[in-house]
Amino acid sequence: MNYHTPSLQRSLSDVVAEYETKAAAIPEAIRVFEQAGSDLKMAATIGGTWGETNIETGRIYENALRAGLLKSAWRHVYNGLNIDMLASPREKQRFEQAMTQPPPFTLDNIRATFGHYVKDPRGSILRALAEVFCDLDPAYKSHDKVKIGVAGLPKRIIMGGFGEYSTRGREALQAVLNALAAYQNKPLPDWDELTKIKDDGGSAVATRGVRLRRFANGNGHLFFEPETLRDINRALAEFYGDVLPDTTEEKPDKPRASTAVAKDLQYYPTPERIAADLAEEAYIRPGQSVLDPSCGCGRMLAAARQRGGVPFGIEVDAGRVAMARAQGFDVLHANFLECEPVAKYDHVLMNPPFFGKWYMRHVLHAFKFLKSGGRLTTILPVTARYDHGLIDAQLPGGSWCDLPVGSFSESGTNINTTVYRVWKQ
């Protein structure tokens, strides 16, 4: 049995049609209900004379019926498409929050909410697993550690919240087991199984491939059996894939194929929402100069301009230079690493190559373009933070902030990313 294939028993158009029909019938349903109440009261009277006994037949409000119908429709599709199996804990939480005030139940809204699960159920499962494990231990964020054959994944994880009055540990355990079950095509653990695993940690070895050991301080150590650890390795390696450098002048030796979906595998443009967030958090003030040293099609430049900055870009690819210039940006067509630095910019916003350690050359060179008191904000692969140590050693004094799992998925790569911010003294 395939537990995670999205399969609604009827078409979405039929579900929407039923919803619309029942929504239109609500006024009549209320009228029938109220008439039934009146008839019931009349059944307790003679000649319409009140018997001095209060008979409650209840009252139904139209807005309550409509709210219940709307939530029922959304949850029907959620259950029918097995979203509980496909979604990560964070995505489930967002759905529950959305159900407090659900959007209109239309085909367009349904596709916008659930379409990516139906289109790519395996990708959704891999993303959910990556999100769960990355929240538990930074080792699972590292692209270098999860490659097949790299013995870098921890054989256990330490989770808090297993104290007498805490549910946090149980919730973390459920998230791990749900993610593994979806990947291994097993049913999700039910409440009884979770309780047994929590209270008797060795009971899950046969069916789930994990062992839980609890301690008096409220911590729990979750151990993975060898086959389970291999599944985690395979899943994360498949999700992250490999990446290539961003310019043809910087080709690595024997780059391997990528799981990326971008047409140009050497180019990972910054998603617009991330560029906007970076520009806002950089505290760009109107009139300040902003450099993007590998500006691509101009996402960072647009975000800087939106904040009132005066952006300038450098880009090696002629096609992307044309795209950025078409938006009215001042862009130099050149290889940034060959440009002579001039320390005149208030800000550098950048997204250097993800491959290997190429980013370090770009970041160090870009830092030279800042004036005293200027600020550099750069997106980097998480290996820069957790594995290489080059940034902290050569450009110390800054701060790190990891981006959510899959932040660059729309740009063609799933590897985890982080942001480093540092001021120039």
Side-chain angles (χ1 to χ4, degrees):
M1 179 178 180
N2 193 335
Y3 293 99
H4 54 60
T5 299
S7 56
L8 203 61
Q9 297 302 311
R10 52 196 177 132
S11 69
L12 287 176
S13 57
D14 286 343
V15 177
V16 172
E18 179 186 355
Y19 168 78
E20 292 175 345
T21 298
K22 289 186 174 179
I26 282 178
E28 175 61 17
I30 292 176
R31 187 196 67 77
V32 171
F33 174 83
E34 291 175 344
Q35 183 61 50
S38 297
D39 292 344
L40 187 62
K41 292 177 181 179
M42 289 299 297
T45 66
I46 298 296
T49 302
W50 183 46
E52 299 183 358
T53 299
N54 191 26
I55 300 174
E56 291 291 343
T57 58
R59 182 172 181 178
I60 298 296
Y61 295 93
E62 182 174 339
N63 60 349
L65 279 182
R66 293 193 181 279
L69 179 65
L70 181 58
K71 292 178 181 180
S72 171
W74 276 107
R75 292 192 181 280
H76 177 71
V77 176
Y78 179 95
N79 294 334
L81 293 177
N82 292 330
I83 304 302
D84 204 41
M85 177 70 78
L86 303 173
S88 70
R90 197 168 290 129
E91 290 169 334
K92 294 175 186 177
Q93 185 181 47
R94 283 196 290 267
F95 177 78
E96 291 301 325
Q97 291 173 344
M99 285 302 97
T100 59
Q101 291 183 312
F105 191 68
T106 65
L107 283 175
D108 286 343
N109 284 344
I110 295 170
R111 292 184 180 118
T113 303
F114 300 128
H116 63 286
Y117 297 110
V118 177
K119 183 179 179 181
D120 186 16
R122 183 168 182 81
S124 298
I125 289 170
L126 294 174
R127 180 190 179 109
L129 187 145
E131 184 178 297
V132 167
F133 279 86
C134 286
D135 285 346
L136 293 171
D137 193 310
Y140 296 105
K141 297 182 178 183
S142 171
H143 175 256
D144 286 348
K145 286 187 174 69
V146 303
K147 292 176 181 176
I148 297 297
V150 177
L153 290 181
K155 296 177 176 58
R156 69 168 183 175
I157 51 178
I158 302 174
M159 301 183 293
F162 284 100
E164 184 177 358
Y165 302 106
S166 176
T167 61
R168 185 163 51 89
R170 183 193 190 98
E171 292 167 356
L173 175 63
Q174 182 176 14
V176 171
L177 295 181
N178 284 356
L180 287 172
Y183 180 76
Q184 297 166 340
N185 195 29
K186 295 178 180 179
L188 298 181
D190 58 23
W191 183 264
D192 290 339
E193 186 178 7
L194 281 169
T195 300
K196 187 176 181 180
I197 294 170
K198 184 175 75 71
D199 295 339
D200 176 17
S203 63
V205 174
T207 57
R208 300 294 178 179
V210 300
R211 290 179 292 110
L212 177 67
R213 184 180 177 189
R214 295 171 60 187
F215 294 86
N217 64 358
N219 284 343
H221 291 195
L222 190 65
F223 296 85
F224 301 113
E225 296 299 300
E227 185 57 37
T228 303
L229 194 62
R230 282 193 290 270
D231 280 345
I232 298 169
N233 191 175
R234 294 188 190 104
L236 293 177
E238 181 181 348
F239 180 71
Y240 295 145
D242 288 325
V243 293
L244 300 173
D246 74 339
T247 70
T248 55
E249 289 83 7
E250 299 176 357
K251 290 183 179 178
D253 293 333
K254 299 180 181 178
R256 288 179 288 174
S258 173
T259 58
V261 296
K263 293 182 179 179
D264 181 354
L265 295 179
Q266 295 180 326
Y267 173 51
Y268 302 105
T270 307
E272 291 180 0
R273 68 185 187 285
I274 294 177
D277 289 345
L278 260 61
E280 179 178 2
E281 292 165 4
Y283 303 109
I284 298 172
R285 296 192 299 274
Q288 288 188 319
S289 55
V290 183
L291 170 68
D292 182 352
S294 297
C295 68
C297 61
R299 300 276 180 83
M300 295 280 207
L301 301 179
R305 184 169 62 185
Q306 183 67 27
R307 301 292 302 178
V310 181
F312 177 77
I314 302 173
E315 172 57 44
V316 70
D317 182 83
R320 294 192 281 268
V321 169
M323 293 172 64
R325 287 176 176 172
Q327 301 171 66
F329 297 121
D330 188 5
V331 177
L332 174 66
H333 181 200
N335 184 335
F336 165 65
L337 294 177
E338 297 175 355
C339 294
E340 189 69 25
V342 179
K344 67 176 184 178
Y345 293 96
D346 296 298
H347 293 273
V348 168
L349 293 182
M350 63 187 302
N351 171 18
F354 284 177
F355 181 83
K357 302 174 184 177
W358 284 105
Y359 63 83
M360 200 63 220
R361 295 176 60 194
H362 288 252
V363 172
L364 290 177
H365 195 56
F367 196 69
K368 299 174 184 176
F369 286 74
L370 283 173
K371 64 174 63 170
S372 179
R375 190 183 195 193
L376 181 141
T377 302
T378 179
I379 298 172
L380 298 168
V382 294
T383 48
R385 178 179 185 180
Y386 296 110
D387 299 322
H388 301 160
L390 299 175
I391 290 286
D392 287 324
Q394 299 185 51
L395 207 61
S399 62
W400 295 95
C401 180
D402 292 347
L403 294 174
V405 169
S407 289
F408 271 72
S409 294
E410 69 182 62
S411 299
T413 183
N414 284 329
I415 70 165
N416 284 311
T417 47
T418 187
V419 175
Y420 187 71
R421 301 179 178 90
V422 63
W423 295 89
K424 186 174 184 180
Q425 300 300 320

